[in-house]
Amino acid sequence: MKILVTGGTGYIGSHTAVELQNSDHEVIIVDNLSNSDKNVLDGIEKITGIRPEFEEFNLADKKKTADFFKRHSDIEGIIHFAAYKAVGESVEKPLMYYRNNLFSLVNILQGMKDNHIPNLVFSSSCTVYGQPDELPVTEKAPIKKAESPYGNTKQISEEIISDTIESSELKGIALRYFNPIGAHETAIIGELPIGVPNNLMPFITQTAAGIRESLRVFGDDYNTPDGTAIRDYIHVVDLAKAHVVAVERMVNQKMKKDFEVFNLGTGNGYSVLEVIKSFERSTGEKLNYKIVGRRPGDVEQVWADTQFANEELGWKAEKGIDEMTLSAWKWQQSLKEKD
Ligand code: UFG
């Protein structure tokens, strides 16, 4: 199958391109390289032996996107990752987020309709649940008011997709990710945060590597066993594999509804301190950290109910927390070698 991966040089996109090619699908990547590097294509080629086709442009550009789809109407499925994703930045620049994340989606849906490409897998987030009333959180949990413009773009995007599907032949699967961490086992591709990382895992590995002085643990007064916040961390390769399963499900017409939603997590919650302990255990490194106040906007605890994805999608996360933290560390070390 020929699959378009938007944002395919990014963190999750690149791992998904690898898994698609490993499953004998043909990959074409569109990315404007706003938050990624073109040499990720070399990495994908090194791992799989195949260099994916690549076009560099901004999908928020209506004309360029329409032209792309006209030239590639043989695409059978689309996995749409391309989006801005920094929560804090979205609070400062909401219009930039709405323009980029929503315009690109609308342009892609238009291209799909005009060229009769029916299948879309959309990169969504557990952020749509906010702090859920019940844990683990199922796909039926209510959508809470978004904490940030970024989160709101995910909610609105799901609505735009759902409305478009109602009125057309299109089909969609929204995958709501919990917290993706880790890197490919070869350490050839991984997460490349630009500047100071916002997320926990890259901050941990950069601290251990001596790039940052100390990790700040945001809050130890939460209502959790050790007082630090709990998340459902999932290995990015497990996450990537779920995309292959989802796109095959669509193209092979196995869907039960025209728009389906799946949680992608492991079903296990780990506190910030537990992640630090896992990192120290798996790598043998000692991490310098200190407890500071809570970070505004953070939820206390969230982890996935994975039953629906396990049973209906036939996919299950396989890698444990130590494998995640160790692979993130190996990737961090490989970056040093590249410098
Ligand atoms: N944390 C720290 N110190 C840091 C960074 C993070 O203690 O330097 C803590 C956070 O407070 C949180 C946990 O580590 O408790 C995980 O934080 P991340 O920033 O890695 O992940 P989040 O759960 O905050 O973010 C994720 C996704 C976003 C999404 C958000 C919604 O990365 O895309 O969930 O809550 F918007």
Side-chain angles (χ1 to χ4, degrees):
M1 276 188 308
K2 184 165 179 178
I3 310 293
L4 166 63
V5 181
T6 77
T9 51
Y11 174 43
I12 307 173
S14 58
H15 288 82
T16 300
V18 164
E19 295 307 321
L20 284 166
Q21 294 194 157
N22 282 344
S23 300
D24 294 329
H25 297 301
E26 187 184 338
V27 173
I28 174 162
I29 289 176
V30 171
D31 203 305
N32 67 352
L33 305 178
S34 67
N35 194 21
S36 61
D37 202 297
K38 203 173 173 181
N39 64 25
V40 170
L41 297 169
D42 301 335
I44 296 170
E45 184 177 4
K46 216 165 160 190
I47 296 170
T48 63
I50 301 162
R51 191 173 187 84
E53 203 179 324
F54 174 69
E55 289 202 23
E56 180 184 339
F57 68 92
N58 189 345
L59 290 151
D61 183 319
K62 191 175 166 185
K63 229 173 132 270
K64 285 187 182 150
T65 306
D67 171 65
F68 171 85
F69 278 109
K70 237 183 257 160
R71 288 184 288 111
H72 295 280
S73 57
D74 57 337
I75 287 169
E76 287 174 81
I78 298 172
I79 308 181
H80 178 40
F81 294 104
Y84 292 153
K85 60 172 186 178
V87 177
E89 183 183 54
S90 79
V91 176
E92 281 159 33
K93 300 174 182 166
L95 293 180
M96 186 174 107
Y97 270 66
Y98 289 120
R99 186 179 298 115
N100 186 64
N101 293 6
L102 300 181
F103 284 19
S104 57
L105 175 66
V106 170
N107 291 339
I108 289 167
L109 289 167
Q110 189 67 56
M112 292 175 71
K113 275 187 77 168
D114 293 347
N115 297 282
H116 310 287
I117 303 168
N119 303 308
L120 178 72
V121 176
F122 177 67
S123 171
S124 190
S125 167
C126 72
T127 190
V128 302
Y129 300 120
Q131 176 60 63
D133 299 325
E134 283 174 38
L135 289 168
V137 57
T138 74
E139 290 82 354
K140 294 200 173 77
I143 302 295
K144 297 263 175 80
K145 184 176 163 27
E147 288 276 358
S148 68
Y150 159 76
N152 207 21
T153 67
K154 293 297 175 193
Q155 294 189 2
I156 298 170
S157 292
E158 285 196 14
E159 287 170 1
I160 291 173
I161 294 167
S162 170
D163 290 346
T164 310
I165 287 170
E166 284 284 318
S167 68
S168 70
E169 296 302 299
L170 301 192
K171 295 185 189 334
I173 294 181
L175 300 176
R176 293 178 179 159
Y177 313 151
F178 283 67
N179 287 52
I181 60 170
H184 196 265
E185 59 179 5
T186 58
I188 292 172
I189 54 171
E191 188 172 10
L192 257 184
I194 292 171
V196 183
N198 293 307
N199 295 115
L200 179 63
M201 199 64 237
F203 210 105
I204 288 179
T205 58
Q206 289 196 5
T207 305
I211 301 166
R212 313 277 156 213
E213 211 176 291
S214 169
L215 168 77
R216 291 175 302 161
V217 173
F218 296 131
D220 69 347
D221 56 351
Y222 285 109
N223 185 23
T224 61
D226 66 20
T228 63
I230 293 176
R231 297 287 183 276
D232 185 339
Y233 297 92
I234 172 168
H235 198 297
V236 67
V237 172
D238 277 333
L239 193 70
K241 287 178 178 165
H243 291 76
V244 180
V245 175
V247 80
E248 288 176 348
R249 175 181 175 86
M250 303 188 88
V251 175
N252 296 331
Q253 309 202 339
K254 298 269 166 58
M255 293 172 73
K256 301 266 165 72
K257 288 191 300 185
D258 289 346
F259 183 47
E260 295 180 329
V261 175
F262 295 98
N263 284 345
L264 296 185
T266 65
N268 303 311
Y270 289 97
S271 72
V272 177
L273 291 179
E274 285 173 325
V275 176
I276 294 171
K277 274 187 208 131
S278 161
F279 177 80
E280 293 187 330
R281 186 168 58 231
S282 67
T283 65
E285 297 289 323
K286 188 99 194 77
L287 194 76
N288 192 14
Y289 69 90
K290 57 174 186 278
I291 311 280
V292 300
R294 292 183 183 192
R295 183 171 70 177
D298 271 350
V299 301
E300 180 171 275
Q301 43 188 329
V302 61
W303 63 92
D305 187 318
T306 60
Q307 194 185 353
F308 189 54
N310 295 166
E311 287 175 6
E312 194 51 50
L313 212 50
W315 162 91
K316 198 174 187 330
E318 284 166 356
K319 296 176 192 293
I321 189 75
D322 287 3
E323 203 173 336
M324 300 182 211
T325 53
L326 180 60
S327 68
W329 178 234
K330 286 187 175 157
W331 163 245
Q332 180 70 53
Q333 287 175 305
S334 82
L335 288 177
K336 204 161 74 190
E337 284 155 22
K338 279 179 199 146
D339 278 349

